Amino acid sequence: MGEAPAFLVDDLQNEPLNGFELKSGTCKTTTTIGDKTYVIGGADDGTLSIEVRIFDSSLGEWVQPTVYGTKPLLSKGHSAVFLNDRILILKKGAKSDDQIWFLEVDTQYVRRQQKQLGTEVVAWSKGVIGNVEKPVVISGPSGVGKGTLISMLMKEFPAMFGFSVSHTTRAPRGTEKDGVHYHFTEKSVMEKEIEDGKFLEFASVHGNLYGTSVEAVEVVADAGKRCILDIDVQGARSVRSSSLEAIFIFVCPPSMEELEKRLRDRGTETEEQILKRLRNAAAEIEQGKSSKIFDFILYNDNLEECYEKLKKLLGLSGCVAAPPKSAALREFNLPLDHSVSKIDDKIIINCISSGLEKESKNLIMLDVSTLKGGAPGRTRGLDFQAIGSFSDGLIGMEKLS
Ligand SMILES: Nc1ncnc2c1ncn2[C@@H]1O[C@H](COP(=O)(O)OP(=O)(O)OP(=O)(O)O)[C@@H](O)[C@H]1O
Ligand SMILES: Nc1nc2c(ncn2[C@@H]2O[C@H](COP(=O)(O)O)[C@@H](O)[C@H]2O)c(=O)[nH]1
């Protein structure tokens, strides 16, 4: 709660239109939803990110919400459009991969956090152009061959898949590199980051802490790739109940004897660790097979055959490795001078650019009808089209991609 700067209260009383910048010239917008007015923009304390304050007219008070997610950096202004449960923010003069953001105000994720904290919560999620396929979660007991199968997939389809690099408190094995195989982390540091809400899931596995940070998944989505997560059953259960829609695959060994042989032959664990991992394997296999977490169960007996089955269920059988249809790589430059309107699930952006002799206008349509994901990760499924350009009365139709 707090005192509102006088000019903001004046602005709020005098500004009838949602989504447009306030007259105070501070690059703030207001969006009113019911009793609440969300004031979004640069804070007056010199912070570099876009801040959010809420004026609750039923209480006549300002509320400082708890803000989840990475905050977008300030730009030269933005437009704001309310879409059912979130506010679309279009940043002016930002780089093409930093223009579209969502401030979630009433999504399932936000409601859950609000219930837990008992305070007002909002959450930021960056928008990703295009429809990257659902992430793939692969689980199974230690030594079953998850890492081997994932390496084969990434080698054959390097442009299609990206690995979610987990955090762990265990020590690196001989050839493992920090930031590539894992982010090797101190327990106290990881525990603090978990407390700060930076992890999508985490679990204590074979005596160490492992976890998937929100950032690990976002980095892969930003590169326009399909994310692969190699996590244990507890982690898979947490992801299943999160807002990350994924395909869940459980890998089983042909027998416990073969699992033990693989673990021993790998030669990366001490005898004590091998025994611990084998003890845990029985329970993991039991849960993997019986719980409703997994969409598919794969038996990794013959490696090549198992790999072919994995490709088949990912829709890659007979597929020639090709670059993904990654719309995230498309350029979309939002000029400083534009106006925004909303028709159903379509956002119409009217871009005005002045040349030496004449002014030309471009109409861009941003389709938000098939949004997927969202906080605590990226919002996918955005598409945009140039629906017209006109100068001197000439109108042209063109698809941007
Ligand atoms: N189908 C298979 N037949 C025989 N050996 C296999 C097969 N699949 C994997 N392996 C071997 O088994 C060992 C364990 O495989 P891998 O490291 O991929 O297991 P993992 O499930 O990723 O284990 P962890 O969970 O401990 O990381 C490796 O030495 C690998 O080469
Ligand atoms: N819940 C999570 N489990 C994870 C994560 N990263 C890895 N793992 C699982 O841990 C075991 C052991 O891995 P190892 O590299 O020490 O052999 C294995 O089952 C992995 O699937 C994670 O981020 N979260």
Side-chain angles (χ1 to χ4, degrees):
M1 317 282 167
E3 279 283 300
F7 69 85
L8 257 186
V9 176
D10 284 352
D11 278 336
L12 284 183
Q13 281 162 357
N14 298 330
E15 291 279 332
L17 292 171
N18 269 349
F20 289 87
E21 285 179 9
L22 290 167
K23 289 200 186 87
S24 50
T26 50
C27 299
K28 289 186 174 76
T29 56
T30 63
T31 302
T32 301
I33 306 164
D35 290 335
K36 293 173 188 160
T37 296
Y38 294 80
V39 178
I40 304 169
D44 306 315
D45 60 2
T47 47
L48 296 174
S49 50
I50 297 184
E51 301 296 325
V52 184
R53 299 180 76 204
I54 303 170
F55 185 73
D56 188 330
S57 60
S58 67
L59 304 170
E61 271 181 1
W62 284 91
V63 179
Q64 194 68 55
T66 302
V67 182
Y68 281 92
T70 311
K71 296 175 187 173
L73 291 178
L74 279 175
S75 64
K76 293 173 182 159
H78 63 264
S79 303
V81 185
F82 177 53
L83 312 170
N84 300 325
D85 53 7
R86 63 197 80 193
I87 300 167
L88 166 69
I89 300 292
L90 294 167
K91 283 174 66 177
K92 295 179 178 176
K95 284 193 197 150
S96 59
D97 65 350
D98 181 42
Q99 292 172 138
I100 306 172
W101 286 80
F102 292 90
L103 181 73
E104 299 193 4
V105 295
D106 193 31
T107 56
Q108 197 190 1
Y109 173 73
V110 163
R111 283 201 300 271
R112 200 184 305 149
Q113 305 301 328
Q114 253 160 7
K115 208 168 158 193
Q116 265 175 24
L117 289 183
T119 60
E120 193 69 53
V121 171
V122 292
W124 284 108
S125 168
K126 191 153 101 172
V128 179
I129 298 290
N131 239 330
V132 178
E133 299 258 19
K134 280 182 186 177
V136 184
V137 171
I138 301 191
S139 289
S142 178
V144 74
K146 303 178 297 293
T148 308
L149 289 163
I150 292 169
S151 298
M152 291 166 83
L153 209 52
M154 305 248 318
K155 193 170 169 204
E156 189 176 356
F157 303 98
M160 196 177 286
F161 293 100
F163 186 62
S164 155
V165 180
S166 295
H167 282 59
T168 181
T169 58
R170 83 150 162 77
R173 293 176 187 140
T175 55
E176 284 181 335
K177 287 200 181 80
D178 188 32
V180 176
H181 299 92
Y182 280 107
H183 297 288
F184 295 100
T185 315
E186 287 293 320
K187 193 166 179 229
S188 56
V189 174
M190 192 164 161
E191 282 172 343
K192 166 82 174 65
E193 291 185 348
I194 289 170
E195 229 178 87
D196 293 345
K198 292 191 176 165
F199 280 79
L200 182 63
E201 64 78 29
F202 60 92
S204 172
V205 190
H206 317 311
N208 284 298
L209 201 51
Y210 292 78
T212 308
S213 69
V214 173
E215 197 184 346
V217 177
E218 287 181 344
V219 163
V220 179
D222 286 354
K225 294 185 180 181
R226 191 171 188 182
C227 186
I228 306 186
L229 292 84
D230 174 346
I231 59 178
D232 86 317
V233 178
Q234 307 167 74
R237 182 175 287 113
S238 304
V239 176
R240 189 50 133 179
S241 61
S242 79
S243 60
L244 189 83
E245 292 170 57
I247 291 182
F248 293 77
I249 300 170
F250 188 78
V251 187
C252 266
S255 65
M256 290 305 277
E257 292 72 30
E258 174 63 18
L259 184 69
E260 180 166 357
K261 182 175 181 308
R262 287 182 197 172
L263 261 183
R264 291 194 183 284
D265 289 353
R266 188 170 74 181
T268 49
E269 265 69 37
T270 61
E271 180 61 20
E272 189 191 348
Q273 283 164 352
I274 289 174
L275 294 176
K276 188 183 259 180
R277 284 174 183 239
L278 286 173
R279 271 199 305 276
N280 292 339
E284 284 177 275
I285 294 169
E286 164 75 27
Q287 285 181 45
K289 284 183 178 173
S290 63
S291 66
K292 298 228 160 53
I293 302 170
F294 296 96
D295 303 305
F296 303 100
I297 294 181
L298 277 181
Y299 282 85
N300 183 17
D301 190 352
N302 177 293
L303 183 60
E304 287 305 327
E305 282 174 19
C306 183
Y307 180 57
E308 283 308 315
K309 283 183 191 151
L310 174 63
K311 285 205 296 182
K312 196 168 176 192
L313 62 87
L314 293 177
L316 296 169
S317 265
C319 190
V320 180
K325 283 189 269 169
S326 166
L329 302 176
R330 291 189 221 155
E331 292 290 308
F332 165 57
N333 289 314
L334 193 63
L336 273 181
D337 200 1
H338 73 256
S339 62
V340 177
S341 52
K342 180 173 175 284
I343 304 172
D344 298 327
D345 285 332
K346 313 277 187 286
I347 308 300
I348 310 298
I349 306 164
N350 189 345
C351 310
I352 304 149
S353 54
S354 321
L356 278 179
E357 285 173 4
K358 57 188 170 194
E359 188 180 76
S360 69
K361 294 181 182 177
N362 285 306
L363 284 183
I364 293 173
M365 184 187 75
L366 184 66
D367 189 342
V368 292
S369 61
T370 54
L371 294 185
K372 294 193 182 86
R378 299 290 193 243
T379 303
R380 296 172 286 116
L382 286 159
D383 196 13
F384 61 87
Q385 278 181 292
I387 53 170
S389 63
F390 49 99
S391 61
D392 297 339
L394 182 71
I395 298 188
M397 297 287 282
E398 176 204 357
K399 176 115 168 103
L400 275 183
S401 53

